[in-house]
Structures are given as C-alpha cells and as structure tokens.
Amino acid sequence: MHFQMAKSVKQVTGIKVYKDLPVWIVEGHNDVLTHIYRGIGSKHLPLEGITLIHFDAHPDMCIPIDMDADIVFDKDKLSSALSIENWILPAMYAGHINTVVWVKPPWANQLQDGKYTFQIGKHKDSGKLRVTCTDEYFLSDTLYAAASDLEVDPERPMYNPKTVTLHVVTMDPETIGHTSSASSKTDTECKTLESEHRDTPLERNVNVNETADNSNQMPEKMRTCDDNLKSLLMDSIDSGTAFILDIDLDFFSTKNPFKDVFSQKQMTILEELYHFEKPKDKSQDCLKTSLSQRCQQLNELENILQDLSARKEFSADVINKDLRIQKFLELIEDVKKSGKPDDIDYNLIHQAGMTCDDNDELPHHVSSEHEINQLIVAMETLLSSLPKPSMVTMARSSYDDYCPKEQVDSIQHSVLRKLQTLYGKIDVQIDYWEYLDDDDDPLNEFCLSESSTTQGKIDTQQS
C-alpha cells in the first residue's frame, strides 16, 4: 500500500533533493549528526531552520557539562565531545535545528508533554553551553542559566543565544488508529505477522507500488490519527525549512541498562545520594540558590567517588560524620558481593546516580511483540499524514542495551518496511559495522546492495 502523503515541505532556494530518500542507520544515536552535517554540507539540507521529528524513549536534550560553547562550531571537536544523550542541543545552538518534536512512548516521563520555548547560548563567565529552560530535567544537570547570563556579541552573531522550541508529545497507540483490527490482534497473531515480515525480503530501492501485495496492508479506518498531534507536527514542519525524521529503535522497546548492573537496593542508595531538591519556586533567587547547591552536591559526590577509586582510606571519624561516605561504602560493599572488587566502575556509579537524580528513573519497558506492532502501526498512521522528510536517521541503541539486543533486528526490519510503504524507494545506508561480529551481515539480511566504509565515509553503490 502506498499512502497519499501530505503536501511537500516548502522548498528552499539552492537546496538539492536526494534521488531516493536516504535512511542512515547508526548504533549510537549521536552518530546521526555526522550524516545530518554531511547533508548540510552537500546542500541537501538547509544550513538553518530544520525541524527534527524525534521518535525516542529518551529526549537526548542534555549538554556535555564541561564542553566549551565554541566547540559547537568545530565539527571535528564536536563529534568527539558528544554522546547519545546530548547531540541535539549543540546542533540547535549552531542554528541548524530550531524545532524539535520529541514523540515519546507512554512509559517515558523525563519531560512532561507540552511546549518549551527557551534560549540556548554561551555562558558569560564559564564559556559553557547553557539553556534558560527551568524544567527540572535541565536544573538537575546544572545546565540552567538566566538569559542575562548568556553572552551576546553584536560582532559575532553566530555565537549569540538562539531561541529554540521543543514540543513533547506522548504517542499512545490506543488514541492513534485505535479502531484498527491490528490493535486487537493477540500476541500469537502479531508474532505470526512479524514472521511474515522477516520472510519477505526488504529491497533497497524498491517502488512500493510494485510490491504492494507483500506489505502488511492497513485498513482504511486505521488512518485516523489524533488531530491535535497531527496539527502540531504539521505546524512544526511548516515553520521550518526542512524536516528530518529521526527514529531511535528503543522507542518501541526500552531497557534501563543500569538495572542489569545494579540491584534495586543499590539503585535506591543512589537515588538517596543523588536526589535533586527542586527549587521552591522559579524566581531567579530560588533558581540560583538551587543551582549553586546542586553544583556543590554533585562536585562533592564526584570527589568522594574519586577518593574511593584511588583507594583512599577514610578514618572512622570522617565516615561517622559524613552520611554520603557511609552510603557509598554500603553500595560498594554490596557491589563487591556480586562481583570482583577490581571490577567496580566508579564512573559508572556516578552515571547511574545521575539518571535517578529527580526521582524518575530512566524508562524501562521491554515490549511484547504485540506492543511493538501497535507502536509501529501507530507511527505509520501518524507519518502518513505528514510530508516526505528530507532525510531519515535511525539509531539502533542496542550495543549499550537501551534497545533489547534480541529484539532490535526485528524492530529495524519492520520499521524499514513501513518506511518503504510510506515513501516508496528508500536508500538504506548501514553505518554500524564496528559493532557487528565478523559473521554478521545486515546487508544480506535486508537484501540490500553493498556499501563499504572507507576512512569513516560511506560509499554508496546506486542501484
């Protein structure tokens, strides 16, 4: 089935159009930024004003805490400074992306649904990248700064603060195409359907009209989607110069990898240590006090962990006077019981603590095949009402265990088939070779044409 797409995104003078829609597949989500920047460099994407529709179980809206803001304009240094949770805001400060719509599954709660308009810029004193958004998501990571604390330089407007918009929306398959017969399928039926998908080859440059009989056809009534969400997405796309569709496969099934490393008892200790005391109100005095206290708290926790990592011996008097040291020692002793003492990763302990600092752990919901199918169909229904994107980026997120390894290939295959159904010919590019075993061959699995990696670049053989 080939959907009738909505009107095209407005054309920008001098911007090229890809012959076939590129779908870049990476492992770590921050690696998609390389392909977005190449699209800008080749003039297939505009320099600024891009809208990012971001399907993900995580917002990825953090900032590297110690990164100088100026690094944003040095793409080589920027690439090495980024990780999976902090790649979007630097691109927004650079001006390339000005609107993000984070479409999240029902079990993701790091940010509440709503519209967030704020500034991102260079802090006058520290030179670091900071935001004016007062949501606890940013406050707990000490990323907040008042607008008056951001540097404005009339002679270097490129470095001035940017006003950006983030929309957060939950995609509930029960409210998008909820009348579909697919919603009432049993797990067994969905498993059979998924098996049929795997048995049908996914070809790399295929016109869907020629293969319609092999697709999972969606009933006409399934195309009804929530009007508010549809309007929000269309307005966000219309306000930009181009539209990138970004999909993290952990959107469909999500793990909190720290749950595989730390027991519930250990995570509870970390929650107590890293608890973020929210400001009483959002006045500047309260925000500055909260920020100062939080910075001090995190610095002291890091210093204690560094001392423990260096095998520093604390006197009984010091331990008795500092409840935090007591709790860390209790945590480490409990970790030792489940592994070798030399295996303790103190940096990992800190990272885990930072994920439960505001009493809201990372999302964890390993979906059934029925739930995965519901979300995929709901996404297809929603996308069918939007224009064709300029580019699709996709992250597997399985190497770091955010998307279950045993499910990621099946999810990827099903999502690619839906993209093929929606957009016709797609040009799939695999860019996660370094994470594969020697005998793994994703090109063979998906029946794609060969691609090769040369000096970090992907060379494509056109069909």
Side-chain angles (χ1 to χ4, degrees), residues 105-288:
W107 52 83
N109 298 303
Q110 298 100 312
L111 284 163
Q112 297 303 306
D113 285 21
K115 179 181 180 181
Y116 302 77
T117 300
F118 55 92
Q119 288 187 309
I120 177 170
K122 179 180 180 178
H123 196 280
K124 289 179 180 178
D125 298 327
S126 68
K128 310 303 181 185
L129 201 58
R130 293 294 182 262
V131 298
T132 60
C133 185
T134 59
D135 189 89
E136 283 78 14
Y137 176 84
F138 300 104
L139 292 175
S140 65
D141 278 358
T142 67
L143 299 176
Y144 169 78
S148 59
D149 290 330
L150 300 182
E151 184 177 292
V152 177
D153 185 350
E155 296 183 0
R156 299 200 308 169
M158 182 172 68
Y159 293 83
N160 288 345
K162 309 297 191 305
T163 299
V164 298
T165 300
L166 166 66
H167 296 279
V168 180
V169 293
T170 300
M171 193 181 80
D172 186 349
E174 295 300 321
T175 62
I176 299 179
H178 63 279
T179 57
S180 168
S181 60
S183 299
S184 62
K185 288 182 182 293
T186 65
D187 284 352
T188 302
E189 288 173 319
C190 288
K191 190 171 183 178
T192 301
L193 177 63
E194 185 58 39
S195 176
E196 291 172 355
H197 277 190
R198 283 194 293 267
D199 292 341
T200 305
L202 172 65
E203 298 184 12
R204 183 166 175 269
N205 276 316
V206 178
N207 188 320
V208 173
N209 289 325
E210 299 170 359
T211 59
D213 292 340
N214 293 328
S215 64
N216 174 29
Q217 300 223 359
M218 184 185 301
E220 191 73 26
K221 59 185 176 181
M222 186 59 182
R223 300 184 205 178
T224 303
C225 74
D226 182 81
D227 288 340
N228 292 333
L229 180 52
K230 175 183 174 183
S231 296
L232 169 63
L233 292 172
M234 278 304 307
D235 289 345
S236 298
I237 292 170
D238 286 343
S239 68
T241 55
F243 151 41
I244 295 174
L245 172 61
D246 177 68
I247 304 170
D248 194 316
L249 299 184
D250 70 14
F251 172 84
F252 305 97
S253 186
T254 317
K255 287 184 66 177
N256 178 351
F258 293 110
K259 286 183 175 289
D260 290 337
V261 179
F262 300 103
S263 67
Q264 185 55 54
K265 174 185 176 182
Q266 294 159 7
M267 290 298 292
T268 299
I269 294 173
L270 288 173
E271 288 172 8
E272 295 169 356
L273 283 164
Y274 284 83
H275 172 72
F276 171 59
E277 193 66 37
K278 299 177 183 178
K280 295 178 180 178
D281 58 54
K282 296 299 177 68
S283 67
Q284 280 303 307
D285 286 343
C286 280
L287 289 171
K288 288 183 177 180

Side-chain angles (χ1 to χ4, degrees), residues 21-116:
L21 178 64
V23 180
W24 288 100
I25 309 178
V26 301
E27 182 58 50
H29 208 156
N30 52 296
D31 290 333
V32 305
L33 201 57
T34 297
H35 303 295
I36 292 173
Y37 276 30
R38 285 178 184 165
I40 294 171
S42 66
K43 298 189 183 303
H44 287 91
L45 292 171
L47 182 64
E48 58 187 15
I50 297 170
T51 296
L52 184 75
I53 307 298
H54 177 60
F55 286 81
D56 201 322
H58 311 88
D60 297 349
M61 295 291 285
C62 290
I63 299 170
I65 188 67
D66 292 322
M67 186 185 78
D68 291 333
D70 290 356
I71 286 180
V72 165
F73 301 98
D74 185 329
K75 65 179 182 180
D76 294 327
K77 290 182 179 179
L78 177 63
S79 178
S80 61
L82 299 181
S83 54
I84 58 174
E85 77 282 0
N86 57 32
W87 60 277
I88 296 177
L89 280 175
M92 299 186 87
Y93 176 54
H96 305 312
I97 299 170
N98 66 0
T99 301
V100 173
V101 182
W102 176 33
V103 185
K104 63 188 182 72
W107 52 83
N109 298 303
Q110 298 100 312
L111 284 163
Q112 297 303 306
D113 285 21
K115 179 181 180 181
Y116 302 77

Side-chain angles (χ1 to χ4, degrees), residues 305-314 341-344 346:
L305 283 172
Q306 288 174 2
D307 288 341
L308 291 169
S309 177
R311 303 289 197 272
K312 178 179 178 178
E313 295 289 339
F314 293 98
D342 292 340
D343 287 342
I344 295 176
Y346 292 90

Side-chain angles (χ1 to χ4, degrees), residues 248-402:
D248 194 316
L249 299 184
D250 70 14
F251 172 84
F252 305 97
S253 186
T254 317
K255 287 184 66 177
N256 178 351
F258 293 110
K259 286 183 175 289
D260 290 337
V261 179
F262 300 103
S263 67
Q264 185 55 54
K265 174 185 176 182
Q266 294 159 7
M267 290 298 292
T268 299
I269 294 173
L270 288 173
E271 288 172 8
E272 295 169 356
L273 283 164
Y274 284 83
H275 172 72
F276 171 59
E277 193 66 37
K278 299 177 183 178
K280 295 178 180 178
D281 58 54
K282 296 299 177 68
S283 67
Q284 280 303 307
D285 286 343
C286 280
L287 289 171
K288 288 183 177 180
T289 299
S290 175
L291 187 65
S292 176
Q293 292 174 345
R294 182 61 171 170
C295 286
Q296 181 179 349
Q297 175 192 9
L298 295 180
N299 286 336
E300 290 176 353
L301 291 174
E302 273 198 283
N303 288 336
I304 293 172
L305 283 172
Q306 288 174 2
D307 288 341
L308 291 169
S309 177
R311 303 289 197 272
K312 178 179 178 178
E313 295 289 339
F314 293 98
S315 67
D317 186 51
V318 170
I319 294 174
N320 290 334
K321 290 181 178 179
D322 196 326
L323 182 61
R324 298 167 304 176
I325 296 177
Q326 295 174 36
K327 288 186 177 296
F328 270 129
L329 290 174
E330 178 187 357
L331 170 67
I332 290 168
E333 186 61 31
D334 200 64
V335 171
K336 287 180 178 180
K337 292 178 182 178
S338 57
K340 298 179 181 178
D342 292 340
D343 287 342
I344 295 176
D345 187 334
Y346 292 90
N347 184 52
L348 187 65
I349 290 175
H350 181 64
Q351 291 178 29
M354 291 295 291
T355 68
C356 54
D357 52 14
D358 57 357
N359 294 321
D360 189 10
E361 292 182 354
L362 289 175
H364 182 83
H365 181 93
V366 178
S367 304
S368 67
E369 293 205 49
H370 174 51
E371 290 173 309
I372 292 169
N373 185 67
Q374 279 188 309
L375 283 169
I376 290 175
V377 170
M379 182 186 71
E380 180 187 29
T381 305
L382 186 60
L383 292 177
S384 69
S385 66
L386 304 179
K388 184 177 181 179
S390 301
M391 172 187 290
V392 178
T393 54
M394 187 182 301
R396 288 165 57 83
S397 297
S398 63
Y399 186 76
D400 49 14
D401 289 325
Y402 285 97

